[in-house]
């Protein structure tokens, strides 16, 4: 039912599912491999009406707050929000924990609840290609890479490199 959905419809379906199951903290990654928009955590927080703290490299939950560290190019920010909240984490946020064999076997016995659009109260027109706010007009293969310029350094390689960079207006 949701095939072809864009990030707007995806955030709607996820928000409805999270509301139905209940939550204190929703943890998202920092990017996706489909649209690579990195806006889903913000849209999800907006739809749920809760605060968001995004791109965290460290996360801690204590009492009724979630806090974390956001590392930027020029500064590090310490941020926090009251629970319930949505956070997104970066690939620097910690070491992956792998389940034990016992944990894998126990997980196989757990029931999995499946929800459809009717269970979530979502109209089919709001999701999929028909409900997408965005559309791909066209796609084309990337052009083949062209051969680069090879410079043989016979004592004047630096001069040739500087001339190339100046000609390309890089310097």
């Amino acid at each position: 039912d949701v095939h072809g959905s864009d990030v707007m419809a995806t955030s709607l379906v996820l928000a409805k599912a999270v509301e139905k199951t209940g939550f204190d903290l929703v943890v998202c990654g920092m990017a996706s491999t489909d649209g690579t928009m990195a806006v889903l955590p913000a849209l999800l927080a907006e739809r749920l009406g809760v605060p968001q703290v995004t791109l965290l490299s460290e996360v801690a939950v204590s009492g009724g707050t979630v806090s974390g560290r956001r590392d930027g190019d020029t500064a590090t920010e310490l941020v926090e929000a009251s629970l319930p909240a949505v956070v997104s984490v970066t690939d620097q946020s910690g070491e992956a924990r792998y389940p034990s064999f016992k944990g894998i076997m126990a997980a196989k016995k757990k029931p999995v609840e499946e929800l459809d659009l009717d269970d979530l109260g979502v109209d089919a027109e709001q999701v999929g290609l028909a409900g997408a706010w965005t559309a791909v007009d066209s796609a084309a293969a990337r052009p083949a890479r062209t051969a680069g310029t090879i410079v043989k350094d016979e004592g004047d390689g630096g001069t040739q490199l500087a001339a190339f960079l100046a000609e390309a207006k890089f310097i």
Side-chain angles (χ1 to χ4, degrees), residues 126-143:
Q126 295 178 287
V127 297
L129 286 174
W133 292 28
T134 59
V136 176
D137 289 334
S138 65
R142 182 183 306 178

Side-chain angles (χ1 to χ4, degrees), residues 143-157:
R145 295 183 85 178
T146 58
T149 304
I150 298 174
V151 175
K152 292 189 178 186
D153 188 7
E154 298 172 353
D156 64 342

Side-chain angles (χ1 to χ4, degrees), residues 23-26 45 48-53 60-68 79-87:
F23 70 102
D24 289 321
L25 182 65
V26 178
L48 294 171
V50 298
Q52 61 162 323
V53 284
V61 178
S62 179
T65 64
V66 59
S67 59
V79 294
E80 71 177 26
S82 59
L83 294 175
V86 174
V87 301

Side-chain angles (χ1 to χ4, degrees), residues 7-77:
V7 71
M8 299 302 289
T10 301
S11 69
L12 172 65
V13 171
L14 288 175
K16 294 291 187 178
V18 168
E19 284 174 342
K20 186 166 186 70
T21 59
F23 70 102
D24 289 321
L25 182 65
V26 178
V27 181
C28 302
M30 63 184 238
S32 64
T33 57
D34 52 7
T36 319
M37 296 176 65
V39 298
L40 182 88
L43 292 171
L44 187 55
E46 176 66 21
R47 289 189 184 275
L48 294 171
V50 298
Q52 61 162 323
V53 284
T54 56
L55 298 174
L56 300 180
S57 56
E58 288 182 5
V59 179
V61 178
S62 179
T65 64
V66 59
S67 59
R69 188 182 83 215
R70 181 185 300 138
D71 297 320
D73 291 337
T74 59
T76 296
E77 300 173 310

Side-chain angles (χ1 to χ4, degrees), residues 98-121:
Y98 298 100
S100 65
F101 181 73
K102 181 180 176 184
I104 293 170
M105 297 309 291
K108 286 184 176 185
K109 296 177 184 172
K110 297 282 184 183
V112 176
E113 182 180 4
E114 293 185 19
L115 304 170
D116 63 17
L117 295 179
D118 289 334
D119 295 330
L120 300 176

